[in-house]
Every structure is written in C-alpha cells, then in structure tokens.
Amino acid sequence: MGLRWKSGLWLAALLALLLLFALLAGRAGLDAFRDHFGAGFARNHALLQAQKLVTLITRELSLSQRLAELESVRRFLRGGDASGQAGVDAERFRRAFTDASVFLIAHDSGHYYFSDGTAPDAWVKPSYTLQRGDPKDGWYFATVRDARPYALNVNVDEKLKVTKVWFNVLVREDEGGRILGLAGSGLDLTRFLATFVGTVDSGVTNFIINGDGAILAHPDESLIEYAALTKAAPRRTLHGLVEDGADRKALDGMLAGLREAPGSGGGVLRVDLQGQPRVLGAAYVPELDWYVITAVDLGAAQVIDETVLWPLALGAIALLLLFAAAVSMGVDRLILRPLVRLTDSARRIAAGDYRQRLRTRRSDELGSLTRAFDDMARQIDAHTSELESRVAERTRDLAQAHDRIAATHRQIQDSIRYAGLIQHAMLPHRELLRALPDDHFVLWQPRDTVGGDFYLFREAPGQFLIGIVDCAGHGVPGAFMTMIAHAGFDLAVQELGLSDPAALLRRMDSATRTLLPGDAASRHLATNMDVGLCHVDLATGRVTFAGAHAELYRCEGTRCEQIRGSRRSIGERRRAIYENVILADGPSCTYYLTTDGFLDQAGGERGYGFGNRRFADALGGIAAQPMKSQEEALRRRLADHQGSCPQRDDIAVIGFRVPGRAAAPDPVSGG
C-alpha cells in the first residue's frame, strides 16, 4: 500500500511538473507576444500624443506670434501707446487663447503686464517689475539672452501665484532689430497635464522632456523641472529616473537618432525606469526641441487580448498531459519507487542524521548511487564528530581571550579616567573663581576623557595673566602635550613675570623645543601648540595681547572685533615673531579666547564648520549679558549647530572682563 501511494505521488508530481512546463512555455510565448505588441503600442501612443501636442502648441504659438507682430504692441512696449490700442488688441487675443490669459513684458522698463480678464486696469498698471538680480525673474533674461524667436517654459510664477506652461515670443523692433520685450500666453499646468500626460489606460504613463532631458510635464508634479530655461544643469531629468548606465547610454542613442531624423517615426526602448521594467516609446517634436515619452508597464497594460490565446493553450496542455501520463506509468515501477526510498534516506542525512545507513542489493546505477550515499554519510559522521570537538576547544580559548581583553580594557579606561582627574586638577578653576568671580566664564569640553586644550591664569598684585592653549592632537597624546606646554609656561612665568605676553610666548617656544626630541625620527610628529595670552593691568585697565596662531575677540556693546596674533604656532619648524597688541579697556568691553575646536565643529544643514564670522556674531549678541548666561548661551549655540554630528576636536573658550571697569550709572535715569 505504501509503495503504491508513493508511486502515485511521484506520478502526480511528474504530471504537475509537465503541466508547469507547459504553463511556463505558454507564458513565455504570451510574454513574447506582449513584448512585440507592447513596443508597437508604446511607439504609436507616443506619436499620437506628440501629434496632439503639436496641434495645440501650434495654435497657441501662432496666436502669440501674431500678437507679437502687432504695431500697437510694439508701440506699447516702447512706452508710446497713448491711445490704449495695445490693451484692446491684447484683450481680443486673450479671449482667443485657450487659457483666456495674455501677458506683455517691456524690455526697457522690465514692467510685466498680465491679464486674465479679472482686472480692468491690467494694461495701465503693471502686475510687477522684473529685476535682473532676482532668481524668480531669471526665466525672462534667459529667454532674451537665448534670442530664439519663441520658447516654451514650465514655470511657477510666484509673483502671480500661478503655475503654467508659458508661450514666450520675442517682440522686436523689426525683423532682426532690437528686442522690445516678450508677448504670449500660458496654459494652466493642471489642464496641460490632463490633456497630454493624463491617461485612462492602466499601466501607461505619458510625460514630456526637453532636449536636455529635463522633465517638463509628468503625472507626478514633484518630478517636473520648473523654470528649466534658467538652469544649465537641470536636476529632474529622464536620466535621473534611469539608474543603469547601459540603459542611459541606449536612451541617449535613441533620443539622438530621433533628433537627427525627426521624420523617421518614433523610437522604442526597454529600460528600468525608477527601478521598474518599462517599455519606452518616444516621439520628437522638432519645432519645440521636445520629446514625448510613453512608458508602458507590460504587466499592467492591456496590450493584447489574452482570451483569444487561451483555447489554443488549453488544447496543447491536454495533449501534453496525456503523453506525460503514458510515459509516467511506464517508468513508475523501474525508477520512481526506488528513487522514493533513496530520497527519503537522503533527506534524513541532510537533516543531520548521519547515523542513517543505506543498504541495497541492486547492482544497477541506483544501487551504486545508494552505496555512494552510504559511504558519504559515514565520512560526514566521522568529520562532524571531530569538528564538534575542535569547535568546543576553540570556544573555550576564545572565552579566555575575551576575559583577558576585557580586563585590560578596564585597566586602560580606569587609567584614562584617573588622568582626566589629574588634568582637571591642573586647571586654574579655583583661582579664577577667587579673582574674577562674576567677570569670567570657561567652556571646557574635551572630545575624549582627556584632551589637548587647557586654559591658564596667574595673578599678581594689580595685574593678572589669562590665556588658552590648544596642543596638537587630542585624547591621551594631546593630554601629554598639555603637560609639556604647562611646564614651558611655568618656566616662562618664573623667569619673565606676567607683564609681557609676547616674551612669554618666545620663552615657551624655546622651552618646548628643549623638552621635545629633535631627532629625525620624531620630525613627522605634530608637536605644535596654539597659544593666546592676555595681560591685564587692573589700575589702568590696559589689556596686552599676544597670540601664537590664536586670536582675541574684543566686544564692546554689540560690536565685536577680532585681534589676530602671529600666524605661526609654538613649536613649528620655522620660528615665529610674537608681538604684543596693547588695547585700552572700555567700560563695557568683554574679551574672549577660543581654540579652533569650537570654530571647526561641523554641523548645520550642510555639515560646515562654525567659523570665525559666525562666532564673532554670536559673541556680539551675548556680550552684554552676565558671564554665566554667556556660557550657557554659547553651549546652546554650539549644541544647536552640532546637531547629530560628532565632536571633532577638543573645545575650550574663556571669556573675561576687567574687574571694576563696569559702565557708570546714567545720571538721568539713575541706572
């Protein structure tokens, strides 16, 4: 009973396979018919749409040209139409245009006159005046510059609040004479799309492109390239919808062939359009240098009537099934039944049961195949056992290695955090709070746990020195550089005092060159550092600044100026000349020093750096606020600019005022 059931199953499977083959063969034939007729349908549909386009365009363009040739229009555009005859003639033409609208543009004055029958003074008062520098008016100057007799442009006139296909005809003094302006009409884009692009046929999409490939009309208005005349490199093009390079090349060849032989009929091409297979039919309109494109989805379009082919297909399938049944019954006993047993055993082996053993007494090919499967199962069973043992051993080794790596990583992180505590302890935070409690703020934000930026403060009777240092590198290397910089600064202050920032920079430069190795192997390492120092004389309010590739920002009220230091950093191969800049402190002056981490931080819509100008503008907007509020405002401004971009470098900003130099109260208001 089991053998008969399996034999019947195999017979049914064979019959189903043959039926599937017949269906696939029939389907392939049907697809061949559909491809052939679909190509013809796409070509003819594109030619029909092109003819409809030429018919309406010719009418609208002819009316626009006749309007442009009127002498009353020429007088109006020269500015000498005192009788108003141009307005009468233009209104007569307006009623003849399909869209019932008309426009005139005077080239000399730039006045744009537009009438759709709703404004009685349309020809007395211009709708607006064209401006040469206004991008919204670029279409007009591009049309005049091109100097063609006429041009068509799909554009959103934001000043008139209308979107149309515009018919623009040049008005000249006489044939070949100077340009007086433009005359013409427009066709509402929705009506234009419904007439030439809209279709009720399922799976058929019509659209129009110009000679540069820009999409001028499409059912999906988001794909239309508006104001294509003003764009040297349009973004919404037919090529942009075709991803494959070979398809683009074939498309270029077809369009070029239609342009070279405009009377040869349409073209047809199979491409992937927006990732979907389509048959493209194309027709060229030489009068406009436009192409009408029809994209056909053969899977959805009703290209052929499939009901005619079904009787033939069913008859062929019936004959094939009869032949398959006769053959299947003959081979069932000799082939199918043994194969069922062999397949069942092989399936258990494929599922991982390698202990399965196949035995047979047959001496034919099926017997040899069965014994070969049995030998293979034995070998796989042995190899699997050996591999499982090796995998278990390797897994133990990997687990031990992972534990060692995790322990090492924890030790490194603990060391870096401890180094961060040490570096933070080196900063003169308490000294600044004691000396300038309400007259300073510090924004210190290393990229990693430790960094290469730090700030300086030294105080003496009647004076103090404040500064900022940006060492090359960040993280652990930058932190080590800060130790060298700090040592050089301490040495310079010990020898020279506080009052001469330029001399301190020169001494720091020589000290760091002594501390750092000078051998050839280390010359490729970045060991330079940017330093900005300010000395403040509390008695006179005088501020002396010197910078090594660093700037001082001085804000008085909302005006902020940038005082530049030397262009070279400390530690560069070529020594720099550092000079002092002496500034007289005003009653409302605030001073700022920053490293390049704030200025170079990427962010915004395009990922650009914050920049010096934007930084100076930000300082000018907050300089009058209390120092704590300034710090919070700068942090917010940095976070808003940075967005989701990662921090690129260490950031340090310090702002200060000279104590006791606040503006005197207003004697009238008392405050």
Side-chain angles (χ1 to χ4, degrees):
M1 183 66 183
L3 292 176
R4 290 182 178 179
W5 181 82
K6 292 179 181 179
S7 178
L9 181 63
W10 275 102
L11 176 60
L14 180 58
L15 292 177
L17 181 63
L18 291 174
L19 177 61
L20 178 61
F21 173 77
L23 290 174
L24 291 176
R27 187 66 185 179
L30 183 62
D31 289 342
F33 278 107
R34 184 180 289 109
D35 288 346
H36 175 73
F37 288 106
F41 175 81
R43 181 191 298 108
N44 295 334
H45 199 282
L47 290 171
L48 176 62
Q49 293 298 104
Q51 187 59 43
K52 290 169 60 179
L53 175 66
V54 170
T55 301
L56 179 61
I57 294 300
T58 300
R59 177 185 180 280
E60 299 294 304
L61 194 57
S62 297
L63 286 173
S64 300
Q65 289 173 327
R66 290 174 59 189
L67 173 64
E69 293 170 356
L70 294 178
E71 183 59 32
S72 62
V73 171
R74 290 194 178 104
R75 287 197 304 271
F76 179 79
L77 297 182
R78 293 191 203 103
D81 181 27
S83 64
Q85 183 62 38
V88 175
D89 292 340
E91 285 299 312
R92 180 165 50 86
F93 272 86
R94 180 188 64 76
R95 290 188 290 271
F97 283 117
T98 301
D99 201 46
S101 64
V102 67
F103 71 87
L104 295 176
I105 303 175
H107 184 70
D108 292 338
S109 64
H111 291 336
Y112 185 106
Y113 299 88
F114 177 82
S115 174
D116 57 2
T118 60
D121 60 345
W123 306 109
V124 177
K125 180 181 179 181
S127 299
Y128 62 89
T129 300
L130 296 164
Q131 302 294 331
R132 184 172 296 274
D134 191 345
K136 298 176 182 178
D137 300 332
W139 64 271
Y140 170 76
F141 298 101
T143 304
V144 172
R145 185 169 55 252
D146 194 40
R148 294 185 183 181
Y150 60 85
L152 273 68
N153 187 33
V154 180
N155 188 33
V156 180
D157 194 319
E158 297 186 8
K159 298 180 179 179
L160 295 178
K161 306 301 182 183
V162 292
T163 304
K164 296 189 177 187
V165 180
W166 297 95
F167 300 84
N168 304 316
V169 177
L170 278 180
V171 181
R172 293 183 178 272
E173 188 72 55
D174 48 36
E175 184 175 354
R178 75 182 185 92
I179 295 175
L180 298 178
L182 290 183
S185 179
L187 186 62
D188 183 77
L189 181 62
T190 303
R191 182 185 301 175
F192 184 82
L193 293 177
T195 303
F196 297 107
V197 178
T199 177
V200 297
D201 297 327
S202 176
V204 178
T205 303
N206 300 314
F207 54 97
I208 299 172
I209 65 173
N210 65 9
D212 296 328
I215 299 175
L216 303 181
H218 195 283
D220 184 356
E221 296 189 22
S222 66
L223 298 179
I224 296 177
E225 182 67 34
Y226 295 98
L229 281 175
T230 64
K231 299 175 181 177
R235 294 186 296 109
R236 299 177 178 89
T237 65
L238 175 58
H239 290 72
L241 305 181
V242 179
E243 299 178 357
D244 185 71
D247 286 349
R248 289 185 179 180
K249 186 175 181 181
L251 179 62
D252 289 337
M254 180 185 72
L255 298 180
L258 292 176
R259 176 178 284 178
E260 293 173 359
S264 61
V268 64
L269 182 67
R270 290 170 177 81
V271 300
D272 284 346
L273 196 68
Q274 293 181 294
Q276 301 296 326
R278 295 289 185 268
V279 177
L280 295 187
Y284 181 58
V285 183
E287 296 86 354
L288 306 175
D289 192 23
W290 283 8
Y291 296 90
V292 178
I293 308 294
T294 296
V296 179
D297 180 2
L298 295 181
Q302 297 296 323
V303 178
I304 60 175
D305 187 1
E306 299 181 5
T307 59
V308 178
L309 302 178
W310 278 113
L312 296 176
L314 292 175
I317 291 173
L319 291 176
L320 183 60
L321 290 176
L322 290 174
F323 174 75
V327 172
S328 299
M329 292 176 65
V331 301
D332 174 67
R333 187 173 182 180
L334 296 175
I335 299 175
L336 293 181
R337 293 181 183 179
L339 282 177
V340 168
R341 294 192 296 269
L342 180 60
T343 302
D344 183 63
S345 300
R347 186 181 297 111
R348 290 198 294 270
I349 293 175
D353 185 7
Y354 302 119
R355 294 184 297 275
Q356 175 70 25
R357 296 295 177 258
L358 303 176
R359 296 179 176 82
T360 182
R361 296 180 180 179
R362 297 183 58 157
S363 59
D364 56 7
E365 288 80 1
L366 285 175
S368 300
L369 181 60
T370 301
R371 285 186 288 273
F373 262 94
D374 184 64
D375 293 340
M376 180 184 67
R378 294 175 185 272
Q379 294 178 11
I380 292 176
D381 189 21
H383 291 164
T384 301
S385 299
E386 183 180 356
L387 285 175
E388 289 177 351
S389 176
R390 292 183 179 180
V391 168
E393 182 180 353
R394 295 294 185 271
T395 302
R396 289 192 299 270
D397 294 342
L398 287 174
Q400 295 173 0
H402 178 270
D403 292 341
R404 291 194 296 270
I405 292 173
T408 303
H409 181 265
R410 285 193 298 271
Q411 293 176 358
I412 294 174
Q413 290 300 315
D414 290 343
S415 298
I416 293 177
R417 282 192 291 270
Y418 185 62
L421 293 175
I422 296 175
Q423 186 178 47
H424 192 272
M426 293 171 56
L427 299 175
H429 178 67
R430 295 180 179 177
E431 291 84 345
L432 277 168
L433 284 177
R434 185 184 65 253
L436 306 174
D438 298 320
D439 294 315
H440 88 284
F441 75 84
V442 176
L443 195 163
W444 186 64
Q445 190 171 308
R447 196 195 75 169
D448 305 308
T449 305
V450 293
D453 289 5
F454 68 101
Y455 53 95
L456 302 166
F457 183 77
R458 291 290 189 277
E459 184 183 13
Q463 60 179 324
F464 67 83
L465 181 73
I466 191 168
I468 202 163
V469 181
D470 180 2
C471 297
H474 40 72
V476 174
F480 274 103
M481 285 297 301
T482 63
M483 297 175 64
I484 296 175
H486 207 285
F489 175 73
D490 287 342
L491 179 62
V493 169
Q494 182 179 358
E495 293 180 358
L496 304 175
L498 306 178
S499 60
D500 191 346
L504 291 174
L505 291 179
R506 290 191 291 271
R507 186 63 184 100
M508 286 180 67
D509 183 59
S510 62
T512 53
R513 293 177 187 276
T514 303
L515 293 172
L516 291 170
D519 57 325
S522 60
R523 290 177 183 173
H524 66 282
L525 300 176
T527 58
N528 56 294
M529 56 191 72
D530 303 339
V531 185
L533 298 177
C534 286
H535 173 264
V536 177
D537 188 325
L538 295 175
T540 62
R542 186 179 64 181
V543 177
T544 305
F545 166 72
H549 200 258
E551 292 81 29
L552 172 68
Y553 294 84
R554 179 180 182 267
C555 295
E556 187 170 4
T558 60
R559 187 176 64 88
C560 190
E561 63 175 324
Q562 184 179 358
I563 297 93
R564 299 184 179 276
S566 172
R567 293 185 178 181
R568 297 189 181 277
S569 305
I570 286 178
E572 289 193 12
R573 295 183 63 183
R574 295 180 59 184
R575 294 181 182 270
I577 298 174
Y578 304 113
E579 297 179 349
N580 289 323
V581 179
I582 299 175
L583 305 168
D585 182 56
S588 59
C589 285
T590 308
Y591 303 88
Y592 305 89
L593 294 167
T594 181
T595 62
D596 58 6
F598 199 113
L599 305 177
D600 296 342
Q601 176 58 49
E605 295 181 357
R606 301 185 178 181
Y608 292 164
F610 196 88
N612 298 75
R613 179 177 298 177
R614 189 179 302 172
F615 183 71
D617 292 343
L619 295 179
I622 65 174
Q625 300 178 16
M627 302 304 287
K628 185 62 177 178
S629 300
Q630 293 189 39
E631 177 191 354
E632 296 172 354
L634 274 184
R635 288 187 184 275
R636 287 195 302 271
R637 187 68 180 270
L638 176 62
D640 293 342
H641 173 77
Q642 182 177 348
S644 60
C645 295
Q647 183 173 335
R648 299 174 58 174
D649 198 358
D650 301 322
I651 295 174
V653 181
I654 187 167
F656 68 94
R657 293 173 179 150
V658 179
R661 302 287 293 178
D666 191 327
V668 176
S669 62

